[in-house]
Amino acid sequence: VAIITGAAMGMGRATAELFAIHGAKVVVTDFNTLVGQEVVDSIMANGGTAAFVQVDISDSKQVQAMVEFTVDTFGHLDIAVNNAALKPDNNSFQDLDEEYWDRLQAVDLKGTALCMKYELRQLVAQGRGGSIVNISSINAFKPTDDNPAYQAFKHGVEGVTKAADFEYGSKGIRIHSVAPGAIRTPMLATALKSLGLTEADVIPSMSLLGRLGEPHEVAQGSLFLSSDDASYVHGTV
């Protein structure tokens, strides 16, 4: 049983679909009910098992309800992929958008931490281990211009991942992050449009492979880290 947050599109959707193909019962979560339900319908039409729950991960009560819904629907929780995030900001540091800073912090950092809080409570209560994967970003390691808030909070995602790694490994709960580079997603398309750039403009500086990554390629990383094939992998990026 796997929770995938931000699963209505992009990497989240690819992850939900891939986990379902490999036999997981998937809880698709997103703030966008219409598109999220479409993902569930697609998984079910292809023989998988899935359910949708609407969640704003910046709201503690909604996150707690997400985990409760998962257990009520499928009996327990094994895996969580905390993917939900907002698009990067688009300002120099001296022109920092304070309102968007607060919103990004609430979703990308606090929201990820809240998901971990309630997922970990459930996994610990079950006493049978589990796996959590947080989706970070290359921007947690490689700075770029004009997105100070996004970079700060993706650094923060790595920080909360490390903190939980140290605390919960002894309980059999394996915790990791995946830090994607340039992946062809609606979020990237929106960011490029706001900057007046095209894919061709950014590929030379963002990929030694000469192309953008695809959402399913990121999903494969999360699948491996969540699987028994990674049974002795813990606390890695």
Side-chain angles (χ1 to χ4, degrees):
V1 178
I3 292 173
I4 315 294
T5 70
M9 62 182 65
M11 293 182 291
R13 176 168 186 159
T15 303
E17 292 174 340
L18 184 65
F19 275 52
I21 287 170
H22 285 268
K25 299 173 183 176
V26 178
V27 177
V28 172
T29 85
D30 205 276
F31 69 90
N32 189 325
T33 301
L34 180 62
V35 184
Q37 187 59 53
E38 288 177 358
V39 176
V40 170
D41 293 344
S42 174
I43 289 172
M44 300 284 280
N46 286 285
T49 302
F52 175 76
V53 58
Q54 184 183 37
V55 177
D56 175 352
I57 64 167
S58 69
D59 185 316
S60 182
K61 291 183 179 179
Q62 292 189 41
V63 175
Q64 184 175 9
M66 172 187 76
V67 176
E68 291 174 350
F69 171 88
T70 300
V71 177
D72 290 344
T73 304
F74 294 123
H76 62 277
L77 175 66
D78 299 299
I79 298 163
V81 180
N82 297 317
N83 166 78
L86 298 180
K87 70 178 182 66
D89 46 330
N90 181 24
N91 303 90
S92 67
F93 224 120
Q94 68 190 38
D95 296 316
L96 189 145
D97 184 331
E98 295 180 40
E99 182 178 353
Y100 196 61
W101 173 282
D102 290 343
R103 182 61 182 147
L104 259 178
Q105 189 281 141
V107 174
D108 287 28
L109 181 53
K110 178 187 174 184
T112 299
L114 288 174
C115 288
M116 294 175 70
K117 172 182 177 178
Y118 291 106
E119 292 156 0
L120 285 165
R121 283 186 178 183
Q122 180 61 34
L123 293 174
V124 170
Q126 291 171 176
R128 49 192 255 176
S131 174
I132 293 176
V133 177
N134 294 323
I135 304 301
S136 172
S137 170
I138 189 66
N139 285 136
F141 304 94
K142 181 183 178 183
T144 56
D145 292 332
D146 297 334
N147 58 356
Y150 185 79
Q151 294 183 80
F153 301 133
K154 287 303 185 180
H155 274 79
V157 169
E158 293 296 337
V160 297
T161 302
K162 291 177 182 179
D165 291 340
F166 192 78
E167 188 172 354
Y168 289 93
S170 62
K171 297 177 173 62
I173 300 170
R174 300 182 301 104
I175 305 171
H176 312 91
S177 69
V178 170
I183 309 301
R184 183 177 284 112
T185 65
M187 181 183 288
L188 179 63
T190 299
L192 291 178
K193 184 177 180 180
S194 70
L195 295 169
L197 299 172
T198 67
E199 289 185 5
D201 293 327
V202 300
I203 286 173
S205 65
M206 299 183 81
S207 174
L208 294 174
L209 298 179
R211 66 174 178 86
L212 298 181
E214 298 295 339
H216 73 85
E217 294 176 301
V218 179
Q220 292 285 354
S222 296
L223 179 71
F224 167 71
L225 291 172
S226 301
S227 74
D228 290 341
D229 289 340
S231 56
Y232 197 63
V233 181
H234 174 60
T236 195
V237 184

